[in-house]
Amino acid sequence: MQNPTTKSELQLSVLDLVMVNTNGSPAQSMRNSLDLAQHVEKWGYGRYWLTEHHNIMSVASTATSILIGFIAGGTTKIRVGSGGIMLPNHSPLIIAEQFGTLESLYPGRIDLGLGRAPGTDRSTALALRRGKLEETEDDFPNSVKELIRYFGSEEVNKTVRANPGEGLDIPIWLLGSSMFSAQLAGDWGLPFAFASHFAPAYLESAVNIYRERFQPSANLKQPYVMAAVNVCAAYTDKEANRLFTSVQQMALGMIRRNHSLLQPPVDDMDKIWNPLEKYTVNERLKYSFVGEPNTLKRGLVSFLNGIHVNELMVVSHIYEHEARLCSFEILSTL
C-alpha cells in the first residue's frame, strides 16, 4: 500500500471490542482475543488496543485494564493499550496506578489512550460516576493534566503519588470523534487517534486541525495520527461482503437502540433494513474496506492518498473466529 509517507512508515494495529457472538460467551470472546493478539503479533501488527464500553451485552471489554494485562501476558512484543480509557468515568489516580502496574509488569509495551465520552448510556454513566455526570469543557483537560502529573517524576514533594506509575514512560494518546480532542492533542504535542470506524464525518477536518495546531513536546517532535477503520477481508468479494453483514447488523442495532449480541452473517441485508436505515448505516460505516485482497488494497490506497495518517487501527467484527483471523492475515500481506 502506498501512503503520503512511505509503506514502511505505515503501521497496522488492532482495535478490539471483545465482541460476544450469539453462540458465544464473554469468556470465549476473551480467549479469542488473546488468540488473535498472538497471531497478529506474528504477522507484524504494532499495537493491540482494547476499548472501554459499558452496559452493552455484545461488548466484553468493560474491565479494560484487566484485559490489557491478559493480552500483554499472553504476548511478547506487541504493544497493548486502551482505545480508550474513558477518563471521566475514573479517578486519574486510579488510572495512573493501573497503568503504572501494567507498565511495571510489561515494560515498554503499554499505551494509554484516553477518551472523554462515557462509552455508554446516560444511566450507566451515572452509575459509573456515582451521580456526577455534568461536566465543564475544562474537566477533561484538567483530568488529563492531573494524570500526566502522577506519571511525572519532577514533583518529588507531591502530597499524593502514584506508585507504581510515578516516573514511568507511558505514552498517552488522545482519542476523539470530533474536533475537541484533535485541538487538545495538537496543542499539547500528543499523538492523536480518530474513531473513523464509526464516526467518519469529521476525520479529515480533525486530522487537519491537529496537524495545524501541533506543538512539539518532550515526547513527540512531529504530529502522529492514527485512524481507526473497519476491514473485512476474504478471498472473494462475495464472501467478504457476506461476512461484513455482521458489522452492518451491529450498526443497525445501534440505530434502533438494540444492542444485541453480534449476529451471524446473512445473504441479504435488504430483508432486514429499510432504505433510510441502509443509508444511515452506510454513512456511519463510510471508512470500511471490504473485499478480496486486490479490492481491499485499492480501497485502502485511495483512503491513504486522501488522508495523511501514520497508522491504521483495524476493527474487524467478524462473526466466526477463524474468518476473523483470515481477514487480519490477508491485510498483513498487502
Side-chain angles (χ1 to χ4, degrees), residues 142-167:
N142 287 339
S143 293
V144 176
K145 287 179 181 177
E146 182 181 348
L147 181 57
I148 291 172
R149 284 198 300 271
Y150 285 129
F151 288 134
S153 57
E154 68 281 357
E155 297 180 41
V156 295
N157 294 320
K158 297 174 187 173
T159 302
V160 180
R161 302 170 71 172
N163 181 38
E166 187 175 286

Side-chain angles (χ1 to χ4, degrees), residues 53-197:
H53 291 285
H54 302 277
N55 199 30
I56 301 174
M57 297 306 295
S58 60
V59 177
S61 59
T62 52
T64 314
S65 299
I66 295 174
L67 281 174
I68 290 170
F70 176 62
I71 299 297
T75 52
T76 59
K77 61 182 180 180
I78 194 169
R79 297 193 66 89
V80 189
S82 59
I85 291 292
M86 300 295 106
L87 192 53
N89 295 339
H90 310 277
S91 155
L93 176 61
I94 289 293
I95 299 303
E97 291 174 338
Q98 289 178 355
F99 278 77
T101 300
L102 288 166
E103 176 65 20
S104 298
L105 290 169
Y106 310 105
R109 295 182 55 207
I110 302 300
D111 294 328
L112 176 50
L114 301 172
R116 69 185 186 105
T120 188
D121 58 87
R122 182 181 177 85
S123 296
T124 308
L126 279 167
L128 285 164
R129 303 177 189 184
R130 301 180 66 83
K132 182 180 181 294
L133 190 59
E134 299 304 323
E135 299 177 18
T136 71
E137 195 168 87
D138 291 331
D139 283 344
F140 179 69
N142 287 339
S143 293
V144 176
K145 287 179 181 177
E146 182 181 348
L147 181 57
I148 291 172
R149 284 198 300 271
Y150 285 129
F151 288 134
S153 57
E154 68 281 357
E155 297 180 41
V156 295
N157 294 320
K158 297 174 187 173
T159 302
V160 180
R161 302 170 71 172
N163 181 38
E166 187 175 286
L168 295 181
D169 183 17
I170 302 172
I172 292 178
W173 293 67
L174 294 191
L175 283 54
S177 56
S178 63
M179 299 300 175
F180 185 92
S181 291
Q183 295 175 14
L184 194 63
D187 291 342
W188 290 3
L190 296 172
F192 175 62
F194 193 88
S196 38
H197 60 299

Side-chain angles (χ1 to χ4, degrees), residues 28-44:
Q28 183 60 58
S29 296
M30 293 172 197
R31 289 192 291 270
N32 288 346
S33 291
L34 177 57
D35 187 59
L36 175 60
Q38 291 168 339
H39 277 84
V40 298
E41 182 175 63
K42 292 187 294 185
W43 296 331

